[in-house]
Amino acid sequence: MELRQLRYFIEVAEREHVSEAAVHLHVAQSAISLQISKLETELGVQLFERAGRNIKLTHIGKIFLHHIKTAIKAIDYAKGQVDEYLNPEHGTIKIGYPTSLASYLLPTIISAYKNKQPSVSFHLHQGSYSSLIESVKNGDINLALLGPVPPEDEEINTRILFTENLSALVPINHPLAEKKSLALSELRNDDFVLFPAGYVLRRIAVEACRQAGFKPKTASEGADMDAIKGLVSAGMGVSILPDGTFYDSTPRFTAKIPIEAPRVRRTVGIITPKTRELAPSEKDFYQFIKEFFTVLEHYQ
């Protein structure tokens, strides 16, 4: 059983089409068919069956695919560890992040680190709160910035880097737009623009409104920060967003107002796996992040 055969098998299995797999792999279709045939002969089972002009996995083929993908991921990880060990200053750092940390925090950290290690490259993975936690647990990535920081469990380490406030964002023509601060209960009759159900920032906003004595009326939803801000700018409602998303500027036709009661805050930090070692370049980056925010906190 050869590694090449296994990679061919995975590509064909996921595309359910030999010719499409051949195009993607830049290999002749006949070469892929030959290697799949050799693999089936060695295993003594049929992995694929015809389905019209396409092919699909047999039952045992599906079982084989599940385990082989895990094995290939482990092999690629091991090879990456070797490459990192041989030359950590030229490694690739995979890091996940949510939309709420994309505009300021992530670029600031990466820019500062690139000044220290210009040859290191980054592979950035944007995802939802829960998907990033799962990606660290299952080995897709080893580092993820998150806010709020989840509880530490048997699979992940957590580190809080800082805590930030959340503020109200209202249209510029809102009756409260000129206020220096507000109680969240003052927005009880407003329409809200929130993230969809399942997003952690929606949960934080809804919980804050509950503490203020009301349930927010959701008029519109946006799946990313720009969409939320754009809908507020268009007068579709008000929102509650982290202060870190306003570092560059407050969006046009809106006003940002600090919330004085209840105080709405979130932790921001980084998570890493407990069950895997970080690559040398990842360890160096992780240490840099810790020191970066320790210095920042000292000056603040």
Side-chain angles (χ1 to χ4, degrees):
M1 192 180 304
E2 299 178 7
L3 188 58
R4 173 182 55 173
Q5 292 174 338
L6 300 179
R7 293 194 186 277
Y8 286 1
F9 164 72
I10 291 173
E11 195 66 36
V12 173
E14 292 185 337
R15 295 179 181 275
E16 297 187 333
H17 207 285
V18 176
S19 59
E20 289 183 8
V23 171
H24 181 76
L25 292 167
H26 306 291
V27 177
Q29 183 175 336
S30 59
I32 292 181
S33 297
L34 176 62
Q35 294 303 321
I36 295 295
S37 177
K38 287 183 176 181
L39 181 60
E40 290 180 322
T41 299
E42 181 177 348
L43 292 171
V45 297
Q46 183 180 351
L47 298 172
F48 295 99
E49 59 187 0
R50 284 285 174 187
R53 300 183 64 181
N54 291 7
I55 60 174
K56 66 178 183 178
L57 287 167
T58 60
H59 175 68
I60 190 62
K62 292 178 181 178
I63 295 174
F64 186 67
L65 175 65
H66 171 74
H67 292 289
I68 286 303
K69 287 178 72 174
T70 301
I72 290 295
K73 183 183 291 186
I75 291 171
D76 289 341
Y77 177 77
K79 184 179 182 302
Q81 290 289 91
V82 172
D83 292 340
E84 291 275 330
Y85 180 79
L86 293 174
N87 198 351
E89 293 184 359
H90 289 77
T92 298
I93 298 171
K94 294 181 179 180
I95 184 166
Y97 66 97
T99 180
S100 65
L101 301 177
S103 62
Y104 181 79
L105 179 67
L106 185 67
T108 299
I109 294 173
I110 290 179
S111 177
Y113 186 73
K114 291 286 281 184
N115 288 332
K116 174 178 176 284
Q117 295 285 17
S119 297
V120 169
S121 58
F122 284 86
H123 179 82
L124 306 179
H125 174 75
Q126 183 174 325
S128 67
Y129 185 79
S130 58
S131 71
L132 290 173
I133 295 173
E134 186 59 32
S135 291
V136 170
K137 288 183 175 182
N138 67 27
D140 289 336
I141 55 177
N142 281 337
L143 302 164
L145 294 166
L146 283 177
V149 177
E152 185 171 327
D153 63 30
E154 61 184 13
E155 294 183 78
I156 58 171
N157 296 305
T158 64
R159 182 179 180 89
I160 296 173
L161 300 174
F162 63 92
T163 302
E164 68 174 344
N165 294 324
L166 278 75
S167 296
L169 186 69
V170 305
I172 197 66
N173 59 356
H174 192 278
L176 304 178
E178 299 297 324
K179 293 196 69 172
K180 299 300 182 184
S181 63
L182 56 75
L184 191 53
S185 59
E186 296 180 75
L187 300 176
R188 66 170 58 249
N189 296 321
D190 283 270
D191 291 334
F192 275 75
V193 179
L194 299 175
F195 282 90
Y199 280 67
V200 68
L201 284 178
R202 181 191 181 103
R203 177 167 58 82
I204 292 174
V206 171
E207 174 60 21
C209 292
R210 187 194 66 78
Q211 291 181 31
F214 71 98
K215 180 179 180 180
K217 182 173 64 175
T218 306
S220 303
E221 295 180 345
D224 59 61
M225 197 60 61
D226 288 339
I228 296 286
K229 292 177 178 178
L231 289 168
V232 175
S233 296
M236 299 300 295
V238 302
S239 193
I240 302 172
L241 298 175
D243 283 357
T245 65
F246 300 110
Y247 271 115
D248 293 333
S249 64
T250 302
R252 293 177 61 199
F253 310 123
T254 67
K256 168 182 167 288
I257 310 173
I259 300 171
E260 62 182 16
R263 193 81 175 273
V264 189
R265 312 190 80 191
R266 72 165 181 175
T267 56
V268 176
I270 189 166
I271 64 172
T272 58
K274 279 186 177 178
T275 56
R276 300 185 307 279
E277 282 285 326
L278 298 182
S281 59
E282 291 173 334
K283 287 181 180 178
D284 187 66
F285 181 62
Y286 180 69
Q287 186 62 32
F288 173 83
I289 289 177
K290 292 193 296 182
E291 293 173 357
F292 182 88
F293 283 97
T294 298
V295 172
L296 192 64
E297 183 179 21
H298 173 75
Y299 280 105
Q300 288 180 336

